[in-house]
Amino acid sequence: MTVTIYDVAREAGVSMATVSRVVNNNPNVKPATRKKVYEAIERLGYRPNAVARGLASKKTTTVGVVIPDISNSIFAEVARGIEDIANMYHYNIILCNADKKKEKEIRVINTLLEKQVDGLLFMGGAVTEEHEQAFRTANVPIVLCATTDEKGQIPSVDIDHEAAAYDAVGKLISNGHTRIAMISGTLQDPANGYARFQGYKRALQDAGLPYDDEIVRVGNYRYESGVEAMKYFVELADRPTAVFAATDEMAIGAIHCIQDSGLHVPEDISVISVDNSRMASMVRPQLTAVAQPMYDIGAVSMRLLTKLMKKENVERGTVVLPHEIVERQSVGGISK
Amino acid sequence: MTVTIYDVAREAGVSMATVSRVVNNNPNVKPATRKKVYEAIERLGYRPNAVARGLASKKTTTVGVVIPDISNSIFAEVARGIEDIANMYHYNIILCNADKKKEKEIRVINTLLEKQVDGLLFMGGAVTEEHEQAFRTANVPIVLCATTDEKGQIPSVDIDHEAAAYDAVGKLISNGHTRIAMISGTLQDPANGYARFQGYKRALQDAGLPYDDEIVRVGNYRYESGVEAMKYFVELADRPTAVFAATDEMAIGAIHCIQDSGLHVPEDISVISVDNSRMASMVRPQLTAVAQPMYDIGAVSMRLLTKLMKKENVERGTVVLPHEIVERQSVGGISK
DNA sequence: CTGTTAGCGCCTTCAG
DNA sequence: CTGAAGGCGCTAACAG
């Protein structure tokens, strides 16, 4: 039924070792025999069994990447960066979706490890004790991608979320806004949630503006939660003149809510966020946002992982990529 | 270094066969020894090697799914359906992104097959001769997901794209529109491209409306191509009063282009599309669209695949799921 | 209920 | 440059 390396060997009149060599591009094969083997492979339709190969060689040339939420375009972009570099180094990548559930994250990490991936890229939210536990028992390198662990023990590549938020809010402040609301992510999420919230607070503080928890709401990163939060702000007696959303999608929800209330962006309320996903230009007015270099985060983390897998020594295990603000039309000045 | 089933056996004072049994939940193990084994596993931190298991059992309990474009939210939703059912039947799924490139599709299909997946779900564009070639040499079941092959030889689950397009355009027609433009996908793409275009033409024809290729443009499914196409239509002397876009994203691009030109949706131009992705409600005005049941397409195809993998016999290999029109605010009547 | 014994398909020394 | 032989870690009969 299934044709094995042995069949090919017989067909080509060589030993299976030789077939193995040509399949693995080992140079120590005479061109003539190499050709014979290729022909036999072709004739028989031989397809190497990666499972057997993995068992024998103890390498699978595949890296597992766990995606928190496949329907989030941010991660899609990061994945593109990962893939491009992976291809470059001849690694296969297998994606596993974790549905933003911690329990599922742990599960896929373990499945991936059981499948003997040569390395693991973890994009996700919080890195808990349980995660670290799972990572510790892995005997392959792991790098965190678009997230970090609190202790900074695990190699990672990410932006400085606190600073990104600080800059976003700073932009609003420098435009004259003094009553700035925030639509935050969950505070349990260290990167997209907590850190961005901290950046918001620090920016306020540095500008001598009061912090008022009346104008911060916690959303779940989705569009709908952005409109919900904004609905609340819009009805406030002392309505904010600007809002900082932790993510693009919530920002877009906020913009639409503002418009649905008969107000205008940015004339009545300015909106800014962190992310700069493709969606940022898919709204009217187009969204001003602090951009995180998604593709690069993916590419750099994959590159780091290849080094780790080859046991090359790396200088810095945790790399922080720069962010920048991209100005579009959702932020205005305060003139009243 | 790595702890094997053999180590566990020694630690627990049983044979490796027994360890294998408890790991695989074979009922034929005395509770007491089962407990001993579990303890040994715990103590040693044993993690089964899926590669070795796969080689020995000739099953990997994983199915491969190839995604044409990970950054397309449509596929993300389909993937969710796939995953839920896969979990239900205890299959792991590994996602492989093909970047909308045929060459890469073929490559990931082969990698997946080499990895000995127990089945394959192919979401993609055209199923070419080369695809069929790759499928043919696979000796595991394959089902097409959100696409079909022309000959209908390969099991598949999808909607009737031609009819969906027909209904979308029909909606416009019944609202009184007679000059209806189309932003199509590439005609090489049988499902989202060609079929939807055919539906458009048939609807026109059945209504006795002339077909005018001045008002059909081919886009690439992305937002930008939607605005490009619309830009062309908007400047036409005999400007269309409605446009049918093959996908949501292009429709949203069209809406924004219309608005950027100082016109209004749906007052000046109505917009409708096929898909009904999450983004359909993330525009103003919200997009009226023919909905394809993405989640169900994923779920049903995965269910079908499980049957095929278990060699149960299935009645119909190609299933067509119903679509429906969901009305929001982007379609208006014609009153001038 | 439990142990023994063959492999699964391939890679990898080690000889020659 | 090529062949022979011994596993990789686990499952699957087959005995007992």
Side-chain angles (χ1 to χ4, degrees):
Chain A
M1 181 78 233
T2 76
V3 18
T4 77
I5 201 174
Y6 188 76
D7 300 319
V8 177
R10 196 157 22 72
E11 177 80 12
V14 298
S15 75
M16 49 184 291
T18 302
V19 179
S20 176
R21 288 192 185 93
V22 345
V23 170
N24 293 294
N25 279 313
N26 183 318
N28 293 350
V29 181
K30 208 192 324 180
T33 59
R34 182 182 298 276
K35 184 157 173 292
K36 272 197 308 189
V37 172
Y38 274 134
E39 286 167 358
I41 287 178
E42 187 67 24
R43 221 172 306 134
L44 267 39
Y46 169 68
R47 185 185 343 249
N49 180 328
V51 171
R53 180 184 301 199
L55 182 58
S57 68
K58 301 169 89 47
K59 275 180 301 178
T60 53
T61 63
T62 105
V63 336
V65 358
V66 0
I67 302 197
D69 178 10
I70 193 188
S71 63
N72 186 151
S73 65
I74 300 291
F75 299 123
E77 188 65 14
V78 176
R80 283 194 44 240
I82 293 174
E83 251 182 78
D84 285 355
I85 304 299
N87 286 339
M88 201 170 294
Y89 287 87
H90 302 292
Y91 281 104
N92 299 130
I93 89 157
I94 69 190
L95 267 31
C96 284
N97 185 210
D99 238 3
K100 282 185 295 195
K101 309 228 184 66
K102 175 181 151 189
E103 166 248 321
K104 205 166 169 198
E105 284 177 0
I106 306 287
R107 207 168 69 217
V108 301
I109 291 171
N110 281 316
T111 350
L112 252 11
L113 258 17
E114 286 180 7
K115 285 191 187 308
Q116 312 299 118
V117 292
D118 293 341
L120 201 57
L121 245 24
F122 181 76
M123 309 196 233
V127 175
T128 68
E129 181 50 48
E130 270 181 89
H131 289 82
E132 285 172 0
Q133 167 71 21
F135 292 158
R136 211 171 302 124
T137 63
N139 29 32
V140 294
I142 290 173
V143 357
L144 305 179
C145 183
T147 189
T148 39
D149 61 322
E150 259 140 74
K151 307 171 201 140
Q153 299 298 297
I154 309 175
S156 65
V157 3
D158 200 1
I159 61 166
D160 182 339
H161 293 276
E162 200 268 353
Y166 183 89
D167 293 349
V169 177
K171 172 75 192 166
L172 261 14
I173 291 173
S174 71
N175 273 28
H177 293 277
T178 54
R179 187 151 172 81
I180 301 170
M182 172 166 188
I183 304 176
S184 172
T186 142
L187 269 19
Q188 278 68 259
D189 177 348
N192 305 318
Y194 186 73
R196 292 183 185 184
F197 175 59
Q198 290 304 313
Y200 164 75
K201 284 207 297 197
R202 183 164 64 88
L204 254 34
Q205 193 169 39
D206 285 4
L209 260 23
Y211 169 77
D212 176 5
D213 57 18
E214 184 69 6
I215 51 171
V216 352
R217 298 278 108 175
V218 171
N220 64 358
Y221 306 119
R222 307 288 269 200
Y223 178 83
E224 291 73 18
S225 74
V227 347
E228 279 320 309
M230 195 68 224
K231 206 171 279 178
Y232 179 84
F233 296 145
V234 143
E235 286 169 359
L236 247 30
D238 189 9
R239 188 212 296 154
T241 63
V243 18
F244 165 53
T247 64
D248 284 2
E249 201 173 313
M250 292 195 294
I252 294 176
I255 289 179
H256 285 153
C257 173
I258 294 169
Q259 295 170 337
D260 292 349
S261 316
L263 298 170
H264 296 274
V265 178
E267 293 79 359
D268 299 303
I269 303 182
S270 288
V271 177
I272 197 170
S273 66
V274 175
D275 269 357
N276 193 42
S277 58
R278 279 182 59 232
M279 280 177 10
S281 6
M282 292 169 57
V283 227
R284 291 299 181 275
Q286 294 184 43
L287 184 62
T288 291
V290 171
Q292 52 174 331
M294 271 97 61
Y295 181 91
D296 294 346
I297 290 178
V300 171
S301 59
M302 183 66 211
R303 180 66 185 104
L304 177 55
L305 186 61
T306 62
K307 287 183 185 162
L308 262 16
M309 290 189 295
K310 288 179 186 158
K311 301 191 186 334
E312 300 175 12
N313 62 342
V314 300
E315 52 297 350
R316 280 179 308 106
T318 107
V319 4
V320 175
L321 261 23
H323 57 267
E324 61 173 344
I325 177 159
V326 0
E327 303 202 27
R328 280 187 277 251
Q329 295 108 34
S330 66
V331 170
I334 190 102
S335 47
K336 342 180 182 185
Chain B
M1 178 81 234
T2 76
V3 18
T4 76
I5 201 173
Y6 187 75
D7 301 319
V8 177
R10 196 160 21 72
E11 176 80 11
V14 298
S15 75
M16 50 186 287
T18 301
V19 178
S20 174
R21 288 192 186 95
V22 346
V23 170
N24 293 293
N25 279 313
N26 183 318
N28 293 350
V29 180
K30 210 193 317 180
T33 59
R34 179 181 301 274
K35 182 155 174 295
K36 270 196 309 188
V37 172
Y38 273 134
E39 285 166 359
I41 288 178
E42 187 68 25
R43 220 171 309 135
L44 267 38
Y46 169 67
R47 185 184 344 248
N49 180 329
V51 171
R53 181 186 300 199
L55 183 58
S57 67
K58 299 168 90 48
K59 275 181 301 177
T60 53
T61 62
T62 106
V63 336
V65 359
V66 0
I67 303 197
D69 178 11
I70 194 187
S71 63
N72 186 150
S73 64
I74 299 290
F75 299 123
E77 187 66 13
V78 176
R80 283 194 43 241
I82 292 174
E83 251 182 79
D84 285 355
I85 305 299
N87 286 339
M88 201 171 295
Y89 287 88
H90 303 291
Y91 281 103
N92 299 130
I93 88 156
I94 69 191
L95 267 29
C96 284
N97 185 212
D99 238 3
K100 283 185 294 195
K101 309 227 184 67
K102 175 181 150 191
E103 165 249 320
K104 205 165 171 198
E105 284 177 2
I106 306 287
R107 206 167 69 218
V108 300
I109 291 171
N110 281 315
T111 339
L112 252 10
L113 258 18
E114 286 179 8
K115 284 191 187 308
Q116 312 299 117
V117 292
D118 293 342
L120 201 58
L121 244 23
F122 181 76
M123 308 196 233
V127 176
T128 68
E129 181 49 49
E130 270 181 88
H131 289 81
E132 285 172 1
Q133 167 70 22
F135 292 159
R136 210 173 302 123
T137 63
N139 29 34
V140 295
I142 290 171
V143 357
L144 305 178
C145 185
T147 188
T148 40
D149 61 322
E150 259 140 74
K151 308 173 200 138
Q153 299 296 297
I154 308 174
S156 66
V157 5
D158 200 0
I159 61 165
D160 182 339
H161 293 276
E162 200 268 352
Y166 183 89
D167 292 348
V169 178
K171 172 75 190 167
L172 260 16
I173 292 173
S174 71
N175 274 29
H177 293 278
T178 53
R179 187 152 173 81
I180 301 171
M182 171 164 188
I183 304 177
S184 173
T186 142
L187 269 21
Q188 278 69 259
D189 177 348
N192 305 317
Y194 186 73
R196 293 182 184 183
F197 175 58
Q198 289 305 312
Y200 164 75
K201 285 207 297 195
R202 184 165 63 90
L204 254 32
Q205 192 170 39
D206 285 4
L209 260 24
Y211 168 77
D212 175 5
D213 56 19
E214 184 68 6
I215 50 173
V216 351
R217 297 277 109 176
V218 170
N220 65 357
Y221 307 120
R222 307 288 269 200
Y223 177 83
E224 291 74 17
S225 74
V227 349
E228 279 320 309
M230 196 68 223
K231 204 170 282 179
Y232 179 84
F233 295 146
V234 144
E235 287 168 359
L236 248 28
D238 189 8
R239 189 212 294 154
T241 63
V243 17
F244 164 54
T247 64
D248 283 3
E249 200 172 316
M250 293 195 294
I252 294 176
I255 289 178
H256 285 153
C257 173
I258 293 169
Q259 294 170 339
D260 292 349
S261 316
L263 298 171
H264 295 274
V265 178
E267 294 79 358
D268 298 303
I269 303 182
S270 289
V271 177
I272 196 170
S273 67
V274 176
D275 270 356
N276 193 43
S277 58
R278 273 197 336 112
M279 281 176 8
S281 7
M282 291 169 57
V283 227
R284 292 297 180 274
Q286 294 186 41
L287 185 62
T288 292
V290 171
Q292 51 174 333
M294 271 96 61
Y295 181 92
D296 294 347
I297 290 178
V300 171
S301 60
M302 183 65 210
R303 181 65 186 103
L304 177 56
L305 186 60
T306 63
K307 286 183 185 164
L308 260 18
M309 289 189 296
K310 287 179 186 157
K311 299 189 189 333
E312 299 175 13
N313 61 343
V314 300
E315 51 297 350
R316 279 178 311 104
T318 107
V319 4
V320 175
L321 261 24
H323 57 267
E324 61 173 346
I325 177 159
V326 0
E327 303 202 24
R328 282 188 276 251
Q329 295 109 33
S330 67
V331 170
I334 189 100
S335 47
K336 341 180 180 181

